[in-house]
Amino acid sequence: YYRPRNIKYFRGDFFDKFDCEDNPDRQAVLEVCRRFAASPDGRTLVLIGGCGRGKTLLAVSIARVYLEANLYDADSDNSLIYVTEQSLLERYDRARSYKSLESTDDVMRRYSSCGLLIVDELGKWSPSRDGLAVLEQLVDHRVGLKPTIMLSNLSQSDFSARYTGGFLSRVADCCYALTGHDHRIGGIS
């Protein structure tokens, strides 16, 4: 868990750094992210699109707003976990070992109960059928209860082909594609 100690590290509106490229679709996704940040209660947000489109920038912007809003609220869970899909599933798999100090229930509880969960790199590696079931179970535990953000470099069609029907049905209405060019390499589409 990450629990911030000092608000000065979280000041600033990172949303202003997101380039809408005069693209109405990107502007619409930015507004969705701002609304999510303002009221994340139990909501899920899935951002998909190629590398360098601004998915992580938007997730970090939301995380900053979340941390600022909850930092001094003793009644709120201001914990935050940022993890890759692969790391999450590897931890779950290690917990299956009889030598593990934590159980699979412990791992699921860790990721299910944190205040804000950000899962990056969905679809970068090919999870097993069990891995897909773990992700679906995690979404089941969080949807409607805890804010969750998932990021993927897959296209919409590849994302739909990769994940199971149950998982997709839970995130379909909160999945947004980021179009545009890769901002990391100077505008190459």
Side-chain angles (χ1 to χ4, degrees), residues 19-131:
D19 182 2
C20 289
E21 303 172 10
D22 294 325
N23 180 328
D25 293 335
R26 286 179 65 85
Q27 180 65 40
V29 172
L30 174 61
E31 292 309 313
V32 164
C33 291
R34 285 181 189 264
R35 284 193 306 273
F36 183 97
S39 178
D41 302 327
R43 295 174 64 198
T44 301
L45 177 66
V46 180
L47 300 176
I48 62 174
C51 295
R53 301 307 190 270
K55 298 178 299 293
T56 302
L57 174 65
L58 291 171
V60 168
S61 299
I62 292 167
R64 284 175 177 255
V65 171
Y66 178 82
L67 291 172
E68 283 180 359
N70 293 295
L71 187 62
Y72 297 113
D73 184 353
D75 295 330
S76 77
D77 181 358
N78 62 1
S79 63
L80 162 67
I81 295 179
Y82 182 99
V83 65
T84 64
E85 176 188 54
Q86 181 180 12
S87 295
L88 186 153
L89 295 178
E90 285 174 352
R91 186 171 187 161
Y92 188 88
D93 283 342
R94 280 192 307 274
R96 289 178 165 174
S97 166
Y98 70 91
K99 297 177 185 178
S100 177
L101 296 177
E102 66 181 348
S103 69
T104 55
D105 287 343
D106 294 336
V107 173
M108 192 57 66
R109 191 172 15 265
R110 172 184 171 80
Y111 294 114
S112 296
S113 66
C114 70
L116 172 62
L117 176 65
I118 301 173
V119 183
D120 200 355
E121 297 181 354
L122 281 180
K124 184 172 184 177
W125 311 103
S126 294
S128 66
R129 179 175 297 197
D130 289 343

Side-chain angles (χ1 to χ4, degrees), residues 12 51 104 135 156 185:
C51 295
T104 55
L135 289 173
Q156 284 180 306
I185 57 175

